[in-house]
Amino acid sequence: MRHLMNPLDFSVEELDKLFDLAEDISVNPSKYAHACEGKKLASCFYEPSTRTRLSFEAAMLNLGGQVLGFSDASSSSASKGESVSDTIRIISCYADICAMRHPKEGAPMVAASRSGIPVINAGDGGHQHPTQTLTDLMTIRALKHRLNNFTIGLCGDLKFGRTVHSLIGALIRYSGIRFIFISPPELKVPDYITDLLREKGIEYEEVIRLEDCMADLDLLYMTRVQRERFFNEEDYVRLKDFYILNNEKMSLAKDDMLVLHPLPRVNEISVEVDDDPRAVYFKQAQYGVYVRMALILTLLEITV
Ligand code: NCD
């Protein structure tokens, strides 16, 4: 039985297969409409979510399966003190696959080690968010037709942003990737990541001003300042509007640069940018459903 805890749980070849399947699903959705008939997804969200939870649920419904679960830790037995290992043993009796989001780093791994069904990490604290990375890679592959040879700027909260940590880990397996980390000093990418990049000889730069690197970028990955992971509100308030991408800054970028964002957006991208054809964050959310459909089929070992 296979789980997904980290994007690296799949080899580059396996990811290619997964993206091919997701692409086929996007062109022939009716072919897959009954693929998961009789199967159930448990959607266990101990932390708020709109896109990830609903896109997992939509993915299972699009495959003809059913969904059960909770979207708030306070409505689950966690509020009575039940451990995730006990909860997953129970859920294994009710469902065929589980998507779990948890504020504690490592909680989905603990669940997976006790589970009788495949567990998908739908985000664990500030650690990893592998299905967002699958979504990001599929978006880049579909719109740029390659996953190698580009300069990517990651901007915003690089310290607490789990989507950034997962995406960097996944991208270093492709050749010719150059990273530009754009953040205030307080929200720099963790040392374990820059140590890894240095060890692997991967080119990266750390800058503070977005304007200083806009013209260099093939991709710009914007992120929200992760308020829920701050220790005090004062620091959050000081840093929350550090970056605001607007049309003026977009005018410095290449004509074919793409702007991605895992969403939700707060103020870091001005709504005026939404009409720019290079802004692909809403398309990205649509790719997220196809890639989660492909993932459910792959982990349940269902072929159509
Ligand atoms: C991200 C997350 O939950 O980490 N959202 C998402 O799943 N699309 C990003 C965020 O919350 O900022």
Side-chain angles (χ1 to χ4, degrees):
M1 193 181 41
R2 233 178 145 175
H3 308 284
L4 178 71
M5 293 296 122
N6 183 311
L8 304 182
D9 293 346
F10 281 73
S11 67
V12 168
E13 293 71 31
E14 285 174 323
L15 284 185
D16 268 339
K17 265 173 92 180
L18 188 88
F19 298 141
D20 288 344
L21 177 59
E23 224 168 275
D24 192 53
I25 291 171
S26 74
V27 207
N28 303 300
S30 58
K31 191 171 135 193
Y32 297 89
H34 304 284
C36 280
E37 244 158 39
K39 300 283 183 197
K40 293 188 213 83
L41 166 81
S43 145
C44 301
F45 279 68
Y46 294 86
E47 207 186 44
S49 168
T50 305
R51 256 150 308 274
T52 307
R53 182 170 66 82
L54 295 183
S55 71
F56 263 115
E57 297 186 4
M60 193 48 151
L61 296 174
N62 291 346
L63 292 166
Q66 290 172 306
V67 177
L68 67 164
F70 52 87
S71 56
D72 181 356
S74 64
S75 67
S76 81
S77 283
S79 64
K80 300 181 187 167
E82 186 174 53
S83 66
V84 281
S85 10
D86 281 2
T87 305
I88 195 69
R89 286 167 86 160
I90 304 308
I91 288 168
S92 302
C93 309
Y94 305 153
D96 303 281
I97 186 163
C98 171
M100 179 180 285
R101 167 169 291 189
H102 204 288
K104 282 209 183 104
E105 308 189 347
M109 292 72 166
V110 173
S113 71
R114 292 291 171 163
S115 179
I117 58 174
V119 178
I120 301 166
N121 177 3
D124 63 319
H127 186 217
Q128 292 280 334
H129 193 342
T131 61
Q132 182 62 47
T133 297
L134 300 184
T135 302
D136 302 339
L137 295 180
M138 178 167 177
T139 307
I140 299 168
R141 194 182 98 139
L143 302 176
K144 282 276 186 203
H145 310 292
R146 66 177 197 276
L147 279 170
N148 54 9
N149 298 323
F150 52 72
T151 297
I152 178 168
L154 295 116
C155 175
D157 188 344
L158 310 186
K159 178 178 179 186
F160 296 116
R162 57 191 170 198
T163 60
V164 166
H165 306 158
S166 283
L167 183 58
I168 298 169
L171 281 175
I172 60 178
R173 297 191 295 184
Y174 299 91
S175 60
I177 305 289
R178 181 174 156 240
F179 293 99
I180 303 190
F181 300 132
I182 310 144
S183 76
E186 296 91 331
L187 298 178
K188 270 169 67 165
V189 79
D191 288 345
Y192 79 87
I193 293 185
T194 43
D195 289 349
L196 180 73
L197 296 178
R198 269 197 306 275
E199 194 184 294
K200 293 196 172 287
I202 293 163
E203 213 184 314
Y204 75 89
E205 223 179 291
E206 295 184 279
V207 304
I208 295 178
R209 279 166 42 92
L210 191 47
E211 296 85 328
D212 292 345
C213 63
M214 264 324 253
D216 268 357
L217 306 177
D218 301 305
L219 298 165
L220 171 59
Y221 194 88
M222 293 296 295
T223 62
R224 168 180 76 88
V225 176
Q226 307 280 295
R227 178 182 205 162
E228 64 277 34
R229 313 223 188 276
F230 272 68
F231 296 111
N232 69 67
E233 183 72 6
E234 228 171 85
D235 285 348
Y236 169 72
V237 170
R238 187 167 48 82
L239 295 167
K240 72 182 172 67
D241 294 328
F242 202 92
Y243 298 106
I244 299 181
L245 180 65
N246 55 16
N247 283 344
E248 196 187 326
K249 292 191 187 98
M250 286 297 284
S251 71
L252 306 171
K254 293 181 188 170
D255 291 342
D256 62 350
M257 185 202 66
L258 298 180
V259 185
L260 289 92
H261 190 310
L263 303 178
R265 139 182 72 188
V266 187
N267 287 329
E268 59 280 358
I269 303 181
S270 157
V271 286
E272 67 183 18
V273 178
D274 296 357
D275 295 329
D276 190 306
R278 294 170 292 182
V280 297
Y281 29 89
F282 292 114
K283 271 191 198 155
Q284 201 179 339
Q286 178 64 62
Y287 286 121
V289 179
Y290 300 134
V291 93
R292 289 184 174 96
M293 289 170 76
L295 178 66
I296 292 171
L297 291 174
T298 305
L299 293 180
L300 289 178
E301 298 179 13
I302 293 173
T303 43
V304 177

